[in-house]
Amino acid sequence: MPAIINSVEKDSIAEELELQAGDEIVSIDEQKINDLIDYNFLCKSEFLTIEIKRKNGEEEIIELEKDYDDDLGIIFESAVFDRVKPCTNKCIFCFVDQQPKGLRDTLYIKDDDYRLSYLQGTYITLTNLSAKDKKRIELLRLGPLYISVHTTNPDLRVKMLNNPNAANIYKNLKWLAKLEIPVHIQIVLCPTFNDGEELKRTLKDLSKLKNIVSIAIVPVGITKYRKDSVLKPVTKAIAEETIEIANKFNKEMKTNLACCSDEFFALAEQDIPKAEYYGNFSQLDDGVGALRLLLNDFEKQSADLPKELTTQTSLFFATSKLAKPAFIEIARKLANIKNLNVSVDAVSSNFWGNSISVAGLVTSDDLIKTLKQIKDKSTTVIISSVMLRKYTQDFLDGKTLDNVKKTTNLNFLVVKDIYSTKEIVDFIKTKA
């Protein structure tokens, strides 16, 4: 994929140069750029020669003088401009392999690219690093990196990832430690594979490395499309055991290095821990502390709530099964506002199967089925932006938010910042 411009920032150098969406940056100072790492490095200069290919096909050379630290203000369509490094594993728990046919093409892409890990926080396995990749990581000290470890047991990791290169994980982690590159660890817990004693072993091994910033433990996701019974779901008992193992490990480390995701506490039927448990919330995208951050934010935002609305207003939180308890708590406090009716319900995952409980996998059809219970058509439905593909209005099943609006005849508020309730509070304030 070439370096195609998605947009340019207002009042930026790129806008002054009349660069537009669809234009391509061919080279900078006669050097081809393969990713944002190259781009950011080459732009750190006071004099640039930029080769542009306009979206109409015309080519242009621009000579530019700027301050050393000035950003051009270009937002690209992708962080990687050459071919994304593909995943060479065949993980027993791979979610991509548990999807039905007919979804959008991008959902079937399996990447394992260290550049995306550095630039965007995606998880990598370190099984496909070439000598050239390692040299670049060493030279630029690229970090932090987000690494899917799952287990430090070499034989078990080979079995779980179905890749002989997976056995080298601890060797690779020690290599990164020697380089002092910070690392965030992910462990997808698969019962009978890497739980219990194997989890204890993994945490013990990781405790010996000084560059580990955080460890996220998340439960395996199993959809109804899985064709075998190799994997077992995380039960309440396993969730309780895993939380206890992580807590004991953290006590020994005298810091909360390993944190279980919100889903573990839901499965164990335990309260979401206080903010102190999550430290600096290093792995929010993995669902570690997202609900606590949301609840704490509401405590702050709720101080600005009015006591009464001028008109009768109805809100409906269409949420995931995982997040429902948090929104019930929020709704309970909103109920004190006069003329405001609030209801909450979880979207049942008919598409994926009942074991899937996160908002990011909600489909439009499942959402529509949930919204059929709403009789008052003046109700505003509140959903999270994670239900939609980034920069679009598309759900996972390829249908759009407009389609849902037309089908249900309801109003919608799509919350962009999924860790904050400010947009919700601001909406309520407009009704006061």
Side-chain angles (χ1 to χ4, degrees), residues 166-285:
N168 298 323
I169 182 60
Y170 202 66
K171 178 181 178 182
N172 283 326
L173 288 174
K174 288 196 291 185
W175 164 66
L176 291 172
K178 187 177 180 180
L179 295 171
E180 298 183 346
I181 291 177
V183 168
H184 296 277
I185 300 294
Q186 180 198 57
I187 297 172
V188 175
L189 195 87
C190 302
T192 74
F193 285 92
N194 62 341
D195 60 332
E197 292 303 315
E198 286 292 348
L199 176 61
K200 292 178 184 177
R201 169 185 170 156
T202 297
L203 293 176
K204 184 178 180 180
D205 287 344
L206 294 176
S207 71
K208 301 171 186 176
L209 303 172
K210 303 302 181 184
N211 63 326
I212 306 298
V213 179
S214 68
I215 302 170
I217 308 173
V218 300
V220 63
I222 305 174
T223 79
K224 68 181 184 182
Y225 300 100
R226 189 173 184 90
K227 297 177 181 179
D228 59 54
S229 57
V230 172
L231 290 180
K232 306 296 181 185
V234 173
T235 63
K236 179 182 178 183
I238 294 173
E240 290 173 340
E241 178 191 45
T242 303
I243 292 170
E244 184 179 348
I245 290 172
N247 287 343
K248 185 177 180 181
F249 170 76
N250 289 334
K251 188 175 181 180
E252 292 172 353
M253 294 293 293
K254 297 181 180 179
T255 182
N256 280 3
L257 185 62
C259 294
C260 293
S261 69
D262 297 347
E263 198 167 354
F264 270 105
F265 294 97
L267 290 167
E269 298 178 8
Q270 296 182 15
D271 292 337
I272 297 294
K274 299 298 183 183
E276 292 75 20
Y277 175 81
Y278 301 103
N280 61 355
F281 292 86
S282 298
Q283 300 209 47
L284 280 171
D285 287 348

Side-chain angles (χ1 to χ4, degrees), residues 1-3 32-35 38 78-85 113 115 132 136:
M1 179 183 292
K32 183 181 178 182
I33 51 175
N34 295 313
D35 48 48
D38 285 344
S78 173
V80 174
F81 311 140
D82 58 1
R83 181 170 174 263
V84 172
K85 290 180 70 67
D113 198 314
R115 298 171 298 177
K132 183 178 179 182
R136 191 183 189 204

Side-chain angles (χ1 to χ4, degrees), residues 412-431:
F412 283 78
L413 171 63
V414 180
V415 177
K416 296 178 181 178
D417 187 348
I418 62 174
Y419 306 120
S420 172
T421 56
K422 186 178 186 305
E423 294 164 73
I424 299 168
V425 171
D426 286 347
F427 177 80
I428 294 172
K429 287 163 63 176
T430 65
K431 305 297 181 181

Side-chain angles (χ1 to χ4, degrees), residues 374-389:
I374 300 176
K375 305 302 180 184
D376 180 3
K377 294 303 177 181
S378 67
T379 298
T380 296
V381 178
I382 299 176
I383 64 172
S384 168
S385 60
V386 299
M387 294 184 187
L388 305 172
R389 184 184 181 187

Side-chain angles (χ1 to χ4, degrees), residues 68-168:
Y68 174 83
D69 287 329
D70 278 352
D71 183 68
L72 298 184
I74 296 175
I75 299 172
F76 291 98
E77 290 186 351
S78 173
V80 174
F81 311 140
D82 58 1
R83 181 170 174 263
V84 172
K85 290 180 70 67
C87 179
T88 57
N89 309 308
K90 189 70 176 176
C91 299
I92 59 171
F93 50 82
C94 180
F95 194 85
V96 175
D97 293 339
Q98 298 184 69
Q99 297 181 125
K101 295 179 180 179
L103 302 180
R104 60 175 181 261
D105 292 343
T106 53
L107 294 175
Y108 302 102
I109 297 174
K110 294 195 283 186
D111 65 78
D112 196 1
D113 198 314
Y114 72 92
R115 298 171 298 177
L116 293 179
S117 184
Y118 167 67
L119 292 166
Q120 298 179 344
T122 60
Y123 293 96
I124 56 174
T125 63
L126 302 178
T127 59
N128 64 351
L129 289 182
S130 66
K132 183 178 179 182
D133 294 334
K134 284 195 167 187
K135 185 176 180 180
R136 191 183 189 204
I137 291 171
E138 290 178 357
L139 179 66
L140 300 178
R141 292 295 196 274
L142 295 179
L145 294 176
Y146 292 75
I147 300 174
S148 289
V149 170
H150 312 309
T151 177
T152 53
N153 180 332
D155 294 334
L156 178 58
R157 195 167 191 260
V158 168
K159 181 179 180 180
M160 292 184 71
L161 273 61
N162 280 299
N163 187 337
N165 291 334
N168 298 323

